[in-house]
Amino acid sequence: MKKLSMLVLVLVMSLVLFACHEETTTTTTYAPLDCEYGYHQEQDACVKDEDLSTLGQILGLEDITVPVGHYFDVFEGVQVLSSEMEDITYLLSVRGNVQYGVEGTYGLSYTLIYQNETYSMNRAVTVADVADTPSTQTRPSVTSGTVSLGEGSYVTGTDTSIAHPTTPTYLEKDLLVDAIPSSSWWTSLLVQNWGGSNGIYTNPLRLAFASGGMEITDPGDGFVQFWNVNNVQTIAQFPIALRDGYLMSSSLSSSYTTQVLSYGDSHVKVALRNPSSTIDEMVVTMAQGSPYVFVETAHPNLTYTFDTAGVDNYRYYDLEGNQVTDTFTGEALIVEMVHRHSGYECTPPANIGAAQYEDKYYLINTPANTVFTISSYNHPFGLDNRVSIALGDRNTLSIASIQDLSEAAYYHEHGYNFIDMTHISYEIDAVASNVTTTYHYSFREVPGGSYGVMVLMPHQYKYADVELTDYSYRTVRGTLKVLEGDTFQTVLNFRGLLPGFTLPTDDSFSSEDAVGYLNNLNTSMSLTDMDGYINAEGPYWNSKAIYPLAQAIIISRQLGETTLESDFISKMEYVLLDWLSVSGPADEKYLYYDNTWGSVYYSNNDFNTASELSDHSFTHGYLVYAAAVLAMADPNFVTQYGDMVDFLLNDYLYPERGNAQFAYLRNFDPWAGHSWAHGFGTFAEGNNLESSSEALNSWNAGYLWAMVTGDTARMEAAIYGY
């Protein structure tokens, strides 16, 4: 995409551009000074503007001309910095819309409220038949070979002896400036066209891409299924595997491609293009915590086709609840899937009974003067299962699932506030032992909108002092509740972590028994046992030795068993240092840095830690935990191998945004509030976590290591994730 040029906008009270001017006195003429933003010239000096004391600079809001057919992101190249140089771009809200497929000049209004002050800025965006200048951005280069850090080392560059992940092909090149994210709810889109048609859950919606277009499904709360496994009763909640409908631009072929244009903490923008074309026929914005999926198009005609299996009929309504047939002109249409298959009645031990049904409703919000034409498309009984949409005054629409006709007016009122940026930040109050998380959505109000809404998950609204509406959704993740506005905060407690248990003080504890257990462990952890965990080929299996050894070091020290402690330290170093250093070409255990993604993995590919970037926080966490315990027992370890531990930890617990070498909190989902295990999330029902205990251990490990090394930023990030 064409990179926006950067220009400092200088704000005065009327918020117009001005230049430093030449001041004169009766005796001296002062040469014009190149005063930076927030300063003006007084005689021969640049003096800080009092009226702009809260802002540092605003970049990228000049008028601009862009090529027709190429999506215009209202935040591309835009940056706002406070006077303390904190990036507060996410506080901008935008009003207006750019019809990127239609030549013309469009106005956008940017508003920023910061420290009780309001700033307003306008810009003109001209869409014209001008040449596109594709980005030539590439990943920063690295030196191939072995890199030393302290007494440790790792490999980077060309290494054909180990497994490597798929190249993230389906994203714009200007996104390559930062390390490429993985282990998220949408990252299947980076490695496969259409994301492999795998589920992308924004909750309450399930989205996906297929030959028929973009899938839009509300799975609801699913159904309970029972199993009896080895005479042990278990249950799970499942959404039924039926896809409600597909939205498609009429200008797209069935072999279209998907391309990630931009992303934030809880949203992603995806362009749909015809093969070998750079024209963004349709751009979809998917955001966690939004009841809508947002769509912008280069051309005005689309089709919305509904599933033919497991549904009795289809009905269509206007906003007043009047049934619509054939053709209708307006700014919204409600679709009812009558008696839609939604689950099964199940009973223990493993019985699946009668099918369950419910009516489903979808609301299509469009600009005024949109023409909806209702027809049948490949329906076995000729029922009207397709809506052809000819957009009216704009190129935008949004679609939401609603519970019934009575909710249509509400979700229509808020359906014109598109999400363009999402930002989630945290603050640690060590005195109060609290973690405050701030969730912020930047809404763009297209004509007809009022203000945005957010759909909070249980772990959010239970810890947030907010006034919720009466609107909600039933999902397999619990009941979601609707909040009006663009921001909210949660507050959670954090009381600290210990590396292990302390010795019991009651009479039932026997130190002799404990020493006996430690001796047994010491004997069983034999360095000559090539079939044991301590000599396993993969780091995850080594961790089955590493973790008991770490606990044994802690317990031995408390018992005063210095000989045992020394033995356990030696064995820990034997396995841990093997991974933290490269001894030569014959070494089979080492760390590798992949510059394509900006990620660290192992020479071993167990659990696809290399080929799919999976289980990084799990496996890395075991090694980092061991390193923290070892550092507490041996202060020299930090000096010798601390840089290598930091290097490994950076892969999943890097606390800074916008870094070329490492992704910010790679495995963590700040909206869902937990880690994801798989690197790509290429599963039909989206990504997975697998082990909450191992995820928690990864934060515990990072916290303990940060305590040892005095790394405040890392420690606070670990507290936040934990």
Side-chain angles (χ1 to χ4, degrees):
M1 295 181 65
K2 184 175 182 179
K3 297 292 291 182
L4 300 184
S5 60
M6 306 294 277
L7 176 66
V8 176
L9 287 188
V10 182
L11 297 177
V12 292
M13 293 302 293
S14 60
L15 298 165
V16 296
L17 293 171
F18 77 102
C20 292
H21 59 279
E22 184 174 305
E23 293 278 4
T24 62
T25 68
T26 57
T27 59
T28 307
T29 299
Y30 296 99
L33 298 177
D34 186 16
C35 296
E36 66 181 33
Y37 174 80
Y39 290 79
H40 65 278
Q41 183 175 351
E42 289 186 6
Q43 297 186 4
D44 61 347
C46 290
V47 180
K48 191 171 181 63
D49 298 331
E50 294 181 1
D51 294 334
L52 299 176
S53 59
T54 60
L55 288 182
Q57 61 183 15
I58 299 178
L59 304 173
L61 287 182
E62 74 277 14
D63 294 346
I64 189 173
T65 298
V66 297
V68 64
H70 295 269
Y71 181 74
F72 179 74
D73 190 327
V74 298
F75 278 101
E76 184 178 359
V78 176
Q79 186 181 52
V80 182
L81 299 178
S82 72
S83 59
E84 303 299 324
M85 293 296 103
E86 176 191 0
D87 191 336
I88 55 173
T89 311
Y90 63 92
L91 294 177
L92 281 173
S93 60
V94 188
R95 181 168 184 169
N97 186 63
V98 175
Q99 296 196 59
Y100 68 89
V102 179
E103 293 186 44
T105 298
Y106 305 89
L108 294 175
S109 175
Y110 292 76
T111 302
L112 173 69
I113 301 176
Y114 183 64
Q115 294 188 357
N116 297 319
E117 297 184 45
T118 301
Y119 304 94
S120 296
M121 296 141 278
N122 297 320
R123 72 188 302 199
V125 179
T126 299
V127 177
D129 186 14
V130 295
D132 178 36
T133 306
S135 171
T136 57
Q137 178 68 49
T138 60
R139 291 286 296 137
S141 60
V142 296
T143 302
S144 185
T146 300
V147 179
S148 296
L149 286 178
E151 295 188 16
S153 52
Y154 65 92
V155 174
T156 189
T158 303
D159 187 347
T160 58
S161 66
I162 65 173
H164 298 287
T166 301
T167 299
T169 303
Y170 299 94
L171 81 166
E172 292 293 82
K173 287 186 177 180
D174 57 1
L175 299 179
L176 297 176
V177 67
D178 295 331
I180 309 303
S182 62
S183 303
S184 193
W185 52 279
W186 58 268
T187 44
S188 61
L189 292 165
L190 294 173
V191 295
Q192 295 177 333
N193 189 36
W194 304 347
S197 294
N198 290 299
I200 301 171
Y201 281 80
T202 59
N203 293 309
L205 295 176
R206 180 195 194 273
L207 306 170
F209 297 95
S211 60
M214 176 182 62
E215 176 204 334
I216 305 172
T217 299
D218 180 356
D221 57 0
F223 64 98
V224 175
Q225 187 168 346
F226 297 85
W227 289 283
N228 194 315
V229 182
N230 296 327
N231 295 319
V232 176
Q233 187 67 64
T234 185
I235 63 173
Q237 193 85 3
F238 275 96
I240 195 167
L242 291 175
R243 315 308 181 208
D244 287 346
Y246 291 88
L247 183 72
M248 183 72 155
S249 170
S250 298
S251 59
L252 279 170
S253 74
S254 60
S255 58
Y256 68 91
T257 61
T258 53
Q259 190 88 345
V260 173
L261 297 181
S262 63
Y263 56 86
D265 284 346
S266 55
H267 84 282
V268 62
K269 286 183 181 287
V270 184
L272 281 64
R273 300 170 178 170
N274 283 313
S276 303
S277 172
T278 61
I279 300 299
D280 302 318
E281 302 292 349
M282 182 167 130
V283 174
V284 177
T285 301
M286 301 178 282
Q288 293 172 300
S290 175
Y292 306 95
V293 58
F294 304 99
V295 179
E296 298 166 80
T297 67
H299 302 283
N301 297 315
L302 305 98
T303 58
Y304 194 2
T305 308
F306 294 91
D307 189 27
T308 61
V311 58
D312 285 2
N313 206 345
Y314 315 86
R315 299 194 187 107
Y316 303 90
Y317 307 87
D318 63 17
L319 284 173
E320 285 70 44
N322 303 309
Q323 193 163 346
V324 173
T325 57
D326 299 327
T327 301
F328 168 72
T329 301
E331 59 184 23
L333 186 72
I334 304 160
V335 182
E336 178 187 8
M337 301 184 77
V338 181
H339 211 226
R340 174 64 161 161
H341 189 186
S342 60
Y344 296 93
E345 295 179 2
C346 299
T347 57
N351 303 314
I352 298 178
Q356 298 172 328
Y357 296 88
E358 62 181 27
D359 296 337
K360 279 192 175 184
Y361 296 84
Y362 288 93
L363 169 67
I364 312 170
N365 299 303
T366 64
N369 302 314
T370 295
V371 178
F372 301 92
T373 302
I374 300 166
S375 63
S376 179
Y377 179 78
N378 289 339
H379 196 284
F381 310 121
L383 299 179
D384 290 338
N385 65 317
R386 168 172 279 192
V387 179
S388 298
I389 304 170
L391 295 175
D393 300 343
R394 288 188 317 280
N395 67 330
T396 63
L397 73 154
S398 67
I399 296 175
S401 170
I402 60 177
Q403 308 303 306
D404 52 50
L405 293 177
S406 68
E407 293 188 344
Y410 181 84
Y411 286 102
H412 177 67
E413 177 187 1
H414 301 289
Y416 296 95
N417 291 78
F418 282 41
I419 293 171
D420 285 310
M421 181 177 286
T422 53
H423 186 270
I424 302 174
S425 59
Y426 59 90
E427 185 175 350
I428 310 299
D429 185 338
V431 176
S433 296
N434 285 335
V435 182
T436 300
T437 304
T438 301
Y439 301 79
H440 191 97
Y441 278 20
S442 296
F443 286 107
R444 169 166 43 104
E445 181 185 326
V446 301
S450 55
Y451 49 89
V453 297
M454 308 168 79
V455 184
L456 275 58
M457 302 184 78
H459 75 274
Q460 294 166 337
Y461 59 73
K462 289 181 179 180
Y463 298 94
D465 184 14
V466 293
E467 184 176 344
L468 299 167
T469 69
D470 293 331
Y471 296 92
S472 63
Y473 287 90
R474 304 186 330 270
T475 77
V476 294
R477 295 297 303 272
T479 298
L480 311 185
K481 299 185 179 182
V482 175
L483 171 71
E484 295 177 353
D486 60 3
T487 188
F488 68 95
Q489 291 183 326
T490 61
V491 180
L492 293 168
N493 296 126
F494 179 79
R495 303 298 184 187
L497 293 168
L498 294 173
F501 294 111
T502 58
L503 290 180
T505 57
D506 62 283
D507 294 338
S508 63
F509 173 71
S510 168
S511 59
E512 290 79 8
D513 287 346
V515 171
Y517 299 147
L518 293 173
N519 281 316
N520 287 337
L521 177 65
N522 197 22
T523 301
S524 65
M525 292 290 184
S526 172
L527 301 186
T528 60
D529 180 8
M530 303 312 296
D531 294 325
Y533 286 131
I534 202 165
N535 284 306
E537 294 180 355
Y540 184 84
W541 299 113
N542 292 155
S543 297
K544 302 304 181 184
I546 286 173
Y547 195 80
L549 286 171
Q551 294 299 320
I553 291 171
I554 295 169
I555 297 169
S556 298
R557 171 163 289 197
Q558 293 184 77
L559 287 171
E561 294 290 332
T562 56
T563 301
L564 279 170
E565 181 187 0
S566 179
D567 286 350
F568 293 134
I569 289 174
S570 296
K571 291 178 179 181
M572 178 87 84
E573 290 176 338
Y574 166 81
V575 62
L576 185 59
L577 300 190
D578 200 359
W579 286 110
L580 297 181
S581 59
V582 185
S583 61
D587 195 345
E588 295 183 350
K589 290 185 178 180
Y590 56 88
L591 298 180
Y592 176 85
Y593 176 75
D594 182 278
N595 186 56
T596 301
W597 285 86
S599 183
V600 180
Y601 45 84
Y602 305 93
S603 51
N604 175 276
N605 191 37
D606 284 357
F607 303 103
N608 297 327
T609 54
S611 60
E612 295 180 345
L613 301 180
S614 293
D615 293 4
H616 279 204
S617 60
F618 294 172
T619 309
H620 295 3
Y622 280 118
L623 271 62
V624 174
Y625 177 88
V629 172
L630 197 55
M632 294 173 187
D634 179 7
N636 291 326
F637 177 79
V638 175
T639 302
Q640 297 168 328
Y641 293 96
D643 289 343
M644 277 301 300
V645 178
D646 281 333
F647 175 73
L648 179 62
L649 185 53
N650 283 343
D651 188 56
Y652 77 87
L653 216 171
Y654 193 75
E656 304 295 336
R657 300 175 184 271
N659 185 270
Q661 191 175 16
F662 296 104
Y664 172 69
L665 301 182
R666 177 175 292 278
N667 292 87
F668 188 61
D669 186 327
W671 180 267
H674 61 74
S675 304
W676 293 111
H678 197 263
F680 305 150
T682 46
F683 301 100
E685 295 311 314
N687 215 326
N688 63 80
L689 175 56
E690 285 191 27
S691 175
S692 58
S693 60
E694 289 180 313
L696 282 169
N697 181 64
S698 72
W699 301 110
N700 184 12
Y703 174 80
L704 294 173
W705 179 256
M707 291 287 288
V708 170
T709 58
D711 189 338
T712 301
R714 181 100 71 188
M715 179 178 63
E716 292 190 344
I719 291 171
Y720 166 59
Y722 186 88

